[in-house]
Amino acid sequence: MTVEQNVLQQHSQKHQQTLLNQLREITGTTDVQLLQQALQVSNGDLAEAVAFLTEKNAKVPQQDEATYYQTSQVASDRYISVGSQADTNVIDLTGDDKDDLQRAIALSLEESSRAFRETGITDEEQAISRVLEASIAENKASLKRTHTEVWSDSPNPHDRKRIDNCPVGLKNVGNTCWFSAVIQSLFNLLEFQRLVLHYSPPARVHDLPRNQKEHRNLPFMQELRHLFSLMVGSKRKYVDPSRAVEILKDAFKSSESQQQDVSEFTHKLLDWLEDAFQMKAEEDREGEKPKNPMVELFYGRFLAVGVLEGKKFENTEMFGQYPLQVNGFKDLHECLEAAMIEGEIESLHSAENSARSGQEHWFTELPPVLTFELSRFEFNQALGRPEKIHNKLEFPSMLYLDRYMDRNREITRIKREEIRRLKEHLTLLQQRLERYLSYGSGPKRFPLADVLQYAMEFASSKPVCTSPVEDIDPSVPLGGTAGQQLPPPSTAEQESLPPPESSGSASGPTTASTAAQQQRVPIHKPFTQSRLPPDLPMHPAPRHISEEELRVLEGCLHRWRSEVENDTRDLQGSINRIHRTIELMYSDKSMMQVPYRLHAVLVHEGQANAGHYWAYIYDPHQRCWMKYNDISVTKSSWEELVRDSFGGYRNASAYCLMYINDKKPFLIEEEFDKETGQLLSGLDKLPPDLKHYVKEDNELFDKEVQEWNTLQARKAQQEKLALVAAAATAAAAASAAASAATSNSTTSSSPQPMSTESSPPDNTVAQQEPEYMEQPSPTDDSKHLQEDTERAISRAAAEQEERSPEALLNAAIKLEYARLLRFAQEDTSLENDYRLQHVIVYFIQNQAPKKILERTLLTQFADRNLAFDERCKSIMNVARAKLDLIKPEEVNMDEYEMWHQDYSNFRETSVFMITGLELFQKRNYVEALMYLIYSYQYNKELLSKGLYRGHDEELLSYYRRECLL
């Protein structure tokens, strides 16, 4: 029995350890006690344990900091795995497994919590909307994804048709967003594009057996040519790069599921291109050293000058992509300065030999295309895994590299030494300024000028002769009882009161006199009195201060504060001047002769082990930035690029910068026909073999479009016939129902419901009124609007002496506007939002033009549904006449309709929101989530036009997030 118990106990411990390991792997939580607590609460159920940790991560802020979710873009922004952790952290959400969704939520929460602690990134927009809204968009489009596909083609070829000469996107064929970003950046270098399109394999490869490089590189080059030709002349909105990608991937696969680092792919891509062009260059040479166009385009040289163990050395090295560290630097120049200097370099400039070692790099030859590889990943030794650096790093659109050139070595050293000296002075000034801005010896410090000002205010306060606690009786509850508040005593009563006893007196007054005095002493009751007693000072004040003391003290404090302010101003001025001097150190023309313009920025969004890639590429012909995100190619802006690329804002940042020499326009110049001089575009840019290849593909696409059109025409004809048949059936049914109804009406004496034809015309509104006034809501807004209008007319009739219809109309409009203006100025809760009760309140809060307000009010009083007495009828007729007299140039009807359409959208958003909140209260979270997502999206569009155009965005975000959890 003892042996069996031991076996069972060992088995139980092993099972619990297995569960702990799985839970740690899923959630990323390393706290053993927390993991054990989750298993204990869930009774060993892994899914419930994940839910427990998810809820705990979401609701328990760490160090009073709100925890935000940071998930990643789905749709075309599907994350790809990098490195050995891909299998454990990348979760497939395309299936129906609910456990996968729970794992995804838990992993996202853990990653976002860690990212917030490390970087302080808190972006609510990244929390839910991109995952859910992209997912809903997929469902609406019926796009079913598989494990190997990130994007499925729309069955409608018109959705995949290229519009005019828009750039062609690249389909994501399974974690290939990195490939799309790199290829688009290179393709938009027109010189590189020409080199690839006009590449022809060496003639000897057709006769001789291929070696390993030729067997791999030449087929890749051919597929790359095909891909580039389709990107030039295809009729498709996006093309499939599968063949080129598969060849590239095959070189790295050690197993079916393993994926390599993206930077390694990029290096390998350029290596293959270099090898392919090298083979061609060696065949074409005639006794000369072959020139490889890839090397000339992407490779430069630098001179390494240094000291190794006291011995000086110089050597020249070639470089391609130049690696730069990001951590610890604020901009690209700081990264470059650090990368160009390694070790201790003081001995480089001295004649004495020393044991110090170090080196400087000086560019001797820069490539036309200069690529910087930003190292945003580092290995965390404590956690045993790579982590992404989210620090902000700024980079310019125009980069001057003169300071790094070997020919400017001496002048750069002088400037660097001057900058070093200025920064030392700057540090000293900043330390001195800090003493003025954070004055004091305790944990809380304040600006010294403010401290002196506070002292001056205290000294200048009206002196008080009593302690601040002497007029408060601890036996009487603070604030008293409601309805028992006593008024402060009059002047005569105050004079009749005995003076307060000193603390050292032997005995106090009698009990009766004490009670009387307690009834007379005015006690401040903060919850029942709206004002402080007149003799209670607003701030602490000195007990006794003479005029002479006050005069001396005020003089000293004024003088000291003035001195402190002058010192602070001088220090800040000196600091600003030094900053400006440093900024302008390299601004003279001699140091602005090597300009490099930013051509492309490759962006990574996500964490170290998973993420999505896209590219921003500058179009010099349209003079704008374009965003290349797989199949999507859209116009962008420098502001959007900065937001997504600098880092520090969320978990998206640039990992590669591609600059081009601004003095070599051939890199981005279009090609012209040598005979006619005309600009070559489309298929005219292609050599004959590629032109034929693209034409065949375009013919296949045209055939697909034609077949789709035929199929849709056939479906439309079938639907038309079905509608005719349905209409005939419905007509027969309606005729039979009418006969039955007629028969019943003659034989039955019971009361019948009122028919539509006999119902009163209360809901019939003039055509010119907005649509939302024609459709009664469940709260019967139309009826309320009609009652408000009639009430305004009645009040105007009671207050107005002149009883003409026009005078009554003007008075009623003024009264109604005053009432609505009062509503617009009140702060209300969501349940009593006056904007939902009347369009004018919405217009006032959003500062609609006066003409829009006037026409809307006239429309309200021109309603045909007003009470059918003569007064209302006459006012309605005057209002309608005034509407007819308004000329088109007086009121912009497009603007009028736009304002009313915005209000209609606001009401629709409100319906979605309220429906979602009601479903949330009923715990119908899935259905509520759909309404809240749509209301959030519509509300966001409204808020983009003004603060009061929509509802509280944080409220919607909160309930949307709660629904997800």
Side-chain angles (χ1 to χ4, degrees):
M1 188 66 178
T2 306
V3 175
E4 292 178 355
Q5 289 178 348
N6 289 337
V7 171
L8 289 173
Q9 185 177 2
Q10 291 176 0
H11 179 74
S12 176
Q13 291 176 349
K14 186 176 180 180
H15 178 66
Q16 186 177 13
Q17 187 60 43
T18 302
L19 288 176
L20 283 173
N21 292 337
Q22 290 177 345
L23 197 57
R24 183 187 297 110
E25 181 179 352
I26 291 171
T27 64
T29 303
T30 57
D31 189 333
V32 178
Q33 293 182 350
L34 186 59
L35 294 173
Q36 290 175 342
Q37 181 187 359
L39 285 177
Q40 185 177 1
V41 170
S42 63
N43 293 324
D45 188 310
L46 191 62
E48 290 187 10
V50 170
F52 173 80
L53 290 174
T54 302
E55 183 178 1
K56 195 170 188 65
N57 282 337
K59 295 185 178 179
V60 181
Q62 299 190 9
Q63 299 176 358
D64 295 329
E65 293 174 334
T67 304
Y68 284 82
Y69 312 106
Q70 292 185 358
T71 56
S72 304
Q73 198 169 353
V74 187
S76 61
D77 293 7
R78 174 66 58 85
Y79 273 18
I80 74 169
S81 304
V82 182
S84 61
Q85 296 190 352
D87 296 334
T88 62
N89 285 346
V90 177
I91 299 171
D92 177 31
L93 297 177
T94 58
D96 297 329
D97 192 351
K98 295 182 179 179
D99 290 341
D100 280 348
L101 178 60
Q102 194 75 321
R103 288 177 58 201
I105 296 172
L107 178 60
S108 173
L109 287 168
E110 171 60 23
E111 285 184 352
S112 65
S113 179
R114 183 177 66 253
F116 177 79
R117 292 193 300 269
E118 293 173 355
T119 65
I121 300 170
T122 59
D123 187 11
E124 178 67 19
E125 195 56 34
Q126 205 163 299
I128 301 172
S129 60
R130 282 202 273 164
V131 171
L132 293 178
E133 290 165 15
S135 176
I136 288 171
E138 286 183 339
N139 293 334
K140 288 178 67 177
S142 301
L143 299 177
K144 303 297 183 181
R145 296 184 180 178
T146 66
H147 289 284
T148 58
E149 280 191 330
V150 173
W151 189 270
S152 297
D153 292 331
S154 167
N156 185 351
H158 292 283
D159 295 339
R160 296 179 273 116
K161 192 172 184 179
R162 185 180 182 183
I163 302 174
D164 299 329
N165 291 321
C166 291
V168 175
L170 291 176
K171 182 179 178 181
N172 191 325
V173 292
N175 301 331
T176 56
C177 48
W178 64 271
F179 181 85
S180 301
V182 174
I183 289 298
Q184 292 282 16
S185 302
L186 295 173
F187 175 80
N188 281 276
L189 284 170
L190 299 186
E191 178 64 15
F192 179 85
Q193 181 190 122
R194 286 188 286 269
L195 288 171
V196 171
L197 291 174
H198 293 281
Y199 176 84
S200 59
R204 62 183 178 85
V205 299
H206 300 291
D207 305 323
L208 300 176
R210 297 184 180 182
N211 58 32
Q212 185 178 2
K213 283 187 177 181
E214 292 173 348
H215 183 77
R216 178 192 64 202
N217 295 358
L218 294 178
F220 174 75
M221 278 301 302
Q222 188 62 19
E223 293 303 332
L224 190 62
R225 292 182 71 238
H226 288 163
L227 180 61
F228 272 29
S229 64
L230 290 174
M231 293 168 72
V232 168
S234 179
K235 291 183 178 181
R236 304 175 191 266
K237 184 185 294 184
Y238 57 90
V239 294
D240 190 334
S242 298
R243 293 182 179 179
V245 170
E246 287 305 318
I247 296 174
L248 194 57
K249 278 186 174 181
D250 285 340
F252 292 91
K253 282 186 178 178
S254 58
S255 67
E256 287 301 318
S257 61
Q258 185 178 359
Q259 293 183 322
Q260 303 297 320
D261 184 77
V262 170
S263 61
E264 189 177 352
F265 272 123
T266 308
H267 284 289
K268 188 59 64 177
L269 172 65
L270 294 178
D271 287 344
W272 286 13
L273 293 171
E274 181 185 345
D275 290 342
F277 278 95
Q278 185 65 27
M279 287 186 285
K280 180 66 176 174
E282 290 176 352
E283 182 184 69
D284 295 342
R285 68 178 178 180
E286 298 177 0
E288 300 178 358
K289 185 178 180 180
K291 290 186 177 181
N292 189 325
M294 289 293 111
V295 174
E296 293 184 348
L297 202 58
F298 294 103
Y299 287 85
R301 289 178 173 81
F302 66 82
L303 180 67
V305 181
V307 174
L308 182 62
E309 296 179 355
K311 296 181 179 180
K312 294 185 178 182
F313 68 88
E314 285 191 11
N315 54 36
T316 302
E317 299 180 25
M318 181 177 288
F319 70 93
Q321 296 184 76
Y322 203 86
L324 296 175
Q325 294 296 320
V326 170
N327 210 2
F329 307 108
K330 68 176 184 179
D331 58 42
L332 187 61
H333 276 299
E334 285 191 2
C335 295
L336 274 167
E337 291 279 357
M340 304 298 276
I341 302 174
E342 298 179 8
E344 301 177 8
I345 63 167
E346 289 85 352
S347 56
L348 298 179
H349 318 313
S350 62
E352 301 177 1
N353 291 331
S354 68
R356 291 179 176 178
S357 298
Q359 62 176 316
E360 293 176 331
H361 292 174
W362 299 96
F363 292 132
T364 56
E365 182 182 346
L366 287 171
V369 181
L370 179 58
T371 305
F372 294 115
E373 189 177 283
L374 304 181
S375 179
R376 282 196 172 271
F377 302 100
E378 62 182 6
F379 191 81
N380 189 319
Q381 296 289 348
L383 299 177
R385 64 186 179 192
E387 291 187 338
K388 185 176 178 182
I389 302 169
H390 294 286
N391 298 355
K392 182 178 181 180
L393 183 79
E394 299 179 0
F395 49 84
S397 58
M398 185 67 74
L399 180 68
Y400 294 96
L401 295 168
D402 303 74
R403 70 185 78 174
Y404 311 108
M405 302 301 296
D406 182 54
R407 61 175 178 266
N408 296 324
R409 189 195 306 184
E410 296 306 321
I411 188 172
T412 299
R413 283 176 175 171
I414 293 172
K415 289 180 178 292
R416 283 178 180 170
E417 179 61 26
E418 178 65 13
I419 289 175
R420 186 190 64 78
R421 187 187 63 80
L422 288 172
K423 285 186 175 180
E424 288 179 355
H425 189 203
L426 181 64
T427 302
L428 181 62
L429 292 175
Q430 288 173 335
Q431 290 174 350
R432 290 181 178 176
L433 179 62
E434 184 65 18
R435 294 171 186 168
Y436 282 91
L437 298 180
S438 299
Y439 183 80
S441 56
K444 292 186 177 180
R445 302 180 177 223
F446 304 93
L448 180 54
D450 291 349
V451 172
L452 296 172
Q453 177 64 26
Y454 300 153
M456 193 184 312
E457 291 174 359
F458 174 78
S460 303
S461 300
K462 180 181 178 182
V464 294
C465 300
T466 61
S467 167
V469 299
E470 286 184 3
D471 58 349
I472 298 178
D473 189 342
S475 65
V476 179
L478 185 64
T481 306
Q484 293 182 359
Q485 179 183 347
L486 296 176
S490 64
T491 305
E493 288 175 328
Q494 290 178 1
E495 292 174 354
S496 66
L497 286 175
E501 294 292 332
S502 64
S503 59
S505 61
S507 62
T510 63
T511 305
S513 63
T514 303
Q517 186 173 346
Q518 288 178 353
Q519 291 179 358
R520 291 177 174 274
V521 172
I523 300 176
H524 174 54
K525 302 175 182 179
F527 298 106
T528 58
Q529 287 182 212
S530 60
R531 296 182 181 179
L532 292 172
D535 58 344
L536 185 63
M538 292 296 294
H539 301 287
R543 298 288 185 86
H544 304 285
I545 184 169
S546 65
E547 292 185 3
E548 180 64 22
E549 289 173 333
L550 180 59
R551 185 180 60 78
V552 173
L553 188 56
E554 282 186 339
C556 292
L557 290 173
H558 272 295
R559 185 177 73 253
W560 295 338
R561 187 169 186 268
S562 178
E563 292 171 357
V564 168
E565 289 177 342
N566 290 335
D567 291 346
T568 304
R569 192 161 42 247
D570 292 343
L571 285 169
Q572 289 174 335
S574 298
I575 289 171
N576 293 336
R577 284 192 295 273
I578 291 177
H579 277 302
R580 186 63 177 163
T581 302
I582 293 175
E583 289 174 2
L584 299 177
M585 188 63 69
Y586 295 100
S587 61
D588 50 293
K589 288 186 178 181
S590 63
M591 301 299 285
M592 300 176 71
Q593 300 302 311
V594 187
Y596 271 71
R597 184 178 56 76
L598 187 62
H599 164 70
V601 179
L602 278 65
V603 178
H604 173 269
E605 181 181 39
Q607 302 301 330
N609 60 341
H612 176 67
Y613 296 84
W614 68 87
Y616 289 101
I617 303 172
Y618 186 72
D619 186 336
H621 308 290
Q622 297 190 56
R623 295 185 178 181
C624 69
W625 285 94
M626 304 291 292
K627 182 178 181 179
Y628 290 79
N629 192 350
D630 289 335
I631 69 169
S632 172
V633 182
T634 55
K635 278 190 176 183
S636 184
S637 64
W638 174 253
E639 290 73 24
E640 183 183 2
L641 183 153
V642 166
R643 187 191 66 205
D644 287 348
S645 306
F646 278 11
Y649 171 67
R650 53 183 187 180
N651 58 354
S653 53
Y655 77 95
C656 184
L657 306 176
M658 191 176 290
Y659 284 87
I660 58 175
N661 193 325
D662 203 42
K663 291 188 174 181
K664 295 184 178 180
F666 72 90
L667 294 169
I668 53 174
E669 276 184 346
E670 295 282 358
E671 191 175 0
F672 292 87
D673 187 281
K674 295 180 180 178
E675 296 180 358
T676 63
Q678 293 182 344
L679 177 68
L680 296 178
S681 62
L683 296 178
D684 295 335
K685 298 171 68 174
L686 304 177
D689 62 322
L690 294 181
K691 188 179 296 185
H692 178 70
Y693 175 80
V694 175
K695 282 184 177 180
E696 285 185 344
D697 185 75
N698 285 341
E699 288 172 0
L700 288 174
F701 185 69
D702 288 338
K703 184 179 179 181
E704 183 183 357
V705 172
Q706 185 177 0
E707 290 175 351
W708 170 267
N709 293 339
T710 303
L711 178 63
Q712 297 308 306
R714 189 181 301 119
K715 284 184 177 180
Q717 184 65 25
Q718 292 173 352
E719 290 175 359
K720 186 176 181 180
L721 293 174
L723 286 173
V724 172
T729 304
S735 177
S739 300
T742 304
S743 175
N744 289 337
S745 65
T746 58
T747 58
S748 174
S749 60
S750 60
Q752 301 294 324
M754 184 181 295
S755 66
T756 304
E757 290 79 3
S758 61
S759 60
D762 288 347
N763 294 326
T764 306
V765 185
Q767 292 182 355
Q768 63 194 25
E769 294 187 2
E771 184 180 357
Y772 57 81
M773 297 178 68
E774 299 174 11
Q775 302 173 350
S777 67
T779 57
D780 203 2
D781 290 341
S782 299
K783 185 177 180 181
H784 284 306
L785 185 65
Q786 180 180 330
E787 291 175 353
D788 292 339
T789 307
E790 293 171 0
R791 194 178 299 114
I793 293 174
S794 298
R795 285 186 57 194
E799 298 176 6
Q800 188 73 14
E801 294 182 359
E802 186 180 350
R803 296 302 182 95
S804 68
E806 185 171 2
L808 287 176
L809 173 63
N810 293 336
I813 287 179
K814 288 181 180 179
L815 289 170
E816 179 70 354
Y817 179 77
R819 182 181 72 91
L820 298 174
L821 178 63
R822 187 172 64 256
F823 287 163
Q825 293 171 344
E826 291 183 12
D827 291 330
T828 59
S829 61
L830 178 63
E831 296 82 357
N832 300 316
D833 193 340
Y834 289 126
R835 293 177 298 174
L836 291 171
Q837 298 182 21
H838 204 291
V839 62
I840 292 295
V841 177
Y842 183 84
F843 285 176
I844 293 173
Q845 290 190 355
N846 291 286
Q847 300 177 349
K850 183 180 177 182
K851 293 290 185 181
I852 304 296
L853 296 174
E854 291 176 352
R855 184 178 178 90
T856 304
L857 281 170
L858 274 177
T859 303
Q860 175 180 335
F861 283 86
D863 185 5
R864 296 183 185 277
N865 296 327
L866 295 179
F868 289 96
D869 57 50
E870 291 302 322
R871 183 175 61 194
C872 287
K873 279 185 179 180
S874 59
I875 289 177
M876 177 196 70
N877 291 331
V878 172
R880 299 185 70 82
K882 283 181 175 289
L883 282 174
D884 294 337
L885 291 174
I886 297 177
K887 298 179 181 178
E889 59 269 17
E890 293 180 3
V891 178
N892 187 332
M893 290 306 296
D894 290 337
E895 184 181 17
Y896 177 82
E897 291 173 1
M898 181 196 72
W899 275 97
H900 281 275
Q901 182 60 48
D902 283 353
Y903 182 66
S904 178
N905 295 340
F906 169 73
R907 289 172 62 90
E908 184 178 0
T909 302
S910 304
V911 170
F912 280 137
M913 180 183 68
I914 294 170
T915 305
L917 294 177
E918 289 176 350
L919 290 169
F920 179 85
Q921 295 296 330
K922 297 176 182 178
R923 299 181 181 273
N924 295 337
Y925 298 123
V926 174
E927 194 174 351
L929 183 60
M930 304 294 291
Y931 281 99
L932 292 174
I933 284 174
Y934 281 114
S935 66
Y936 179 87
Q937 188 62 34
Y938 296 157
N939 191 65
K940 186 176 180 181
E941 295 175 5
L942 288 170
L943 291 178
S944 66
K945 298 182 179 180
L947 180 62
Y948 298 104
R949 293 289 184 114
H951 294 288
D952 186 355
E953 190 171 15
E954 293 183 1
L955 177 72
L956 280 170
S957 298
Y958 171 79
Y959 281 103
R960 186 182 57 169
R961 181 170 64 247
E962 290 296 313
C963 282
L964 175 68
L965 294 175

